[in-house]
Amino acid sequence: MDSHKFFTQTRPGRLFVTAALPGAIGMFASALYQLADGIFVGRIIGGTAFAALNLAMPFVIINFALSDLIGVGSSVPISISLGQRRDKEANNIFTCSCIMIVIIGIIIGALLYACAPALMRFMGADGEFAALAVQYLRVYAICSPLTTIVFAVDNYLRICGRIKFSMVLNIIMSVLSAGLEFVFLFVFRWGIWGAALGTCLGMMICTVIAFVPFIGGRMRLRFYRPKFRADMIKRIAACGMPTFLNNIAGRVTSIVMNMLLVRWGGESAVSVYGILMYVDGIVQSLLYGMVDSLQPAIGYNWGAALYKRVRAIGKYCFLAGAVFSWLVVAVIFMFPELITELFMGGGSGGFMEEAVLALRLFGTGYIIRWFATSTQSFLLAVEKPIPATLISISVALVFPLLFILVLWNLHLTGLWLNFAGTSFLSAALAAFMLFKYRKELLRE
């Protein structure tokens, strides 16, 4: 079945199973690798390296942010153009986007490599703690031109209906990266830079594999003689802005949080926060994998003016997000000690007590966090970038900074509560946005 029939004729329930579940599995594989990354570093190299990894990670994600802006931002107009049977326009957007991602990867990578020592000093780190963080960040910076495009090409594969191939490729990337990292750390004893190198090599190899069918002309999207236009770039930027601002704003929040953690609790507090972020990485990867995998289908049907199908597909996004998130809450509350021991098995009693408290306070946010995530993804898929952007900025930056101020006197406990407060407030904002655009979303 070609992509047009697949997106416009497959029953919504079957479409969810066919598109969202493989997407979630692929993202889950990536999340499991991120989990293994933290475990390898914490267990093999030690607590200082684990804290350094988490100190550098916000800047690593910033390195991918502009590329994600283009990758996600181009996916929406590509899907809508294909739904309108305007294949030449879709191919031009695809080609121009790939070129822009590589160029931005070179520029941002060079800046991060040069600024890495100053950034770690700004964070308040020094000595071995800072040196390890610089090593980790600089490997990602060097590899940036060939790694930052990997998530964009994953979107393009799903737009072309190659959902299972995308899932398999994500699994291969995770297994390959984990295997290389284990060899570099456990066998070669290369240090924290070996952990970053293992990840980057896995990404680069899978990037090449992913582009083979596009280069061979076997996909509906094909490389085209690029024609850069201001309106096209503006459209890509508008559609990608929610994801970009979410990445940047989230990393700004993480940087502020890390500075406060170093101030109020030192390396151990940074490590506890790192555990929370690894847990969130797994949860958000699965949740985002489900809703993001249905974005091409929603955008395609929106472009084809099949609005009832758009709403039917959207309902599955919300329902699946709710069920999954509530299961996560149960797991976090039942097994906080086990989750902590995965990363820091040799931690002191005080560390374990603080980590358990943090996990339980943090985990309450998943009761409702799914609603804002699903709403943002749905609004973006139907080309409503402004409300999606407002939700994104509020979730990632405005509400967390607000709760930092409100809960300031609670110190570390206030930081652990931040996620829950942000989640409930962002759900209210998402509900308001859906109500505001209800007439347009309920069109026949």
Side-chain angles (χ1 to χ4, degrees), residues 213-360:
F214 291 103
I215 295 172
R218 300 194 300 271
M219 309 290 276
R220 187 172 179 186
L221 284 176
R222 301 168 183 269
F223 283 107
Y224 190 79
R225 185 171 182 176
K227 296 179 180 178
F228 290 90
R229 305 190 315 270
D231 66 310
M232 178 194 69
I233 296 173
K234 182 179 179 180
R235 191 180 182 193
I236 290 172
C239 292
M241 195 58 65
T243 299
F244 171 73
L245 291 176
N246 184 67
N247 283 333
I248 294 296
R251 301 302 67 84
V252 170
T253 300
S254 294
I255 290 168
V256 173
M257 295 280 276
N258 277 328
M259 292 173 67
L260 293 175
L261 289 163
V262 171
R263 173 181 174 181
W264 288 335
E267 286 183 22
S268 64
V270 175
S271 294
V272 170
Y273 184 66
I275 293 172
L276 301 183
M277 291 300 97
Y278 275 106
V279 171
D280 189 56
I282 293 177
V283 176
Q284 291 296 340
S285 291
L286 276 167
L287 182 58
Y288 184 75
M290 286 189 291
V291 299
D292 184 61
S293 294
L294 287 172
Q295 267 195 4
I298 293 172
Y300 205 105
N301 283 280
W302 187 263
L306 300 173
Y307 303 117
K308 287 185 178 180
R309 280 184 59 82
V310 168
R311 292 192 294 273
I313 296 168
K315 288 178 182 178
Y316 280 92
C317 292
F318 284 86
L319 180 61
V323 173
F324 170 68
S325 298
W326 295 335
L327 289 174
V328 168
V329 174
V331 170
I332 289 176
F333 272 79
M334 291 170 63
F335 306 109
E337 295 89 354
L338 180 61
I339 294 171
T340 302
E341 288 174 356
L342 284 174
F343 298 94
M344 303 290 288
S348 65
F351 179 87
M352 178 64 71
E353 183 179 345
E354 188 69 35
V356 168
L357 172 65
L359 277 165
R360 284 177 170 159

Side-chain angles (χ1 to χ4, degrees), residues 51 54-55 58-59 122-124 129 248-274 276-277 280 358 361-362 369 395-408 411-422:
N54 288 289
L55 194 69
F59 299 101
F122 173 76
M123 296 294 293
F129 186 26
I248 294 296
R251 301 302 67 84
V252 170
T253 300
S254 294
I255 290 168
V256 173
M257 295 280 276
N258 277 328
M259 292 173 67
L260 293 175
L261 289 163
V262 171
R263 173 181 174 181
W264 288 335
E267 286 183 22
S268 64
V270 175
S271 294
V272 170
Y273 184 66
L276 301 183
M277 291 300 97
D280 189 56
L361 295 178
F362 182 84
R369 185 60 169 255
V395 170
L397 182 66
V398 177
F399 294 159
L401 293 183
L402 173 64
F403 278 104
I404 285 176
L405 295 175
V406 171
L407 303 173
W408 183 272
H411 289 186
L412 289 180
T413 302
L415 297 183
W416 310 147
L417 281 168
N418 192 292
F419 181 80
T422 294

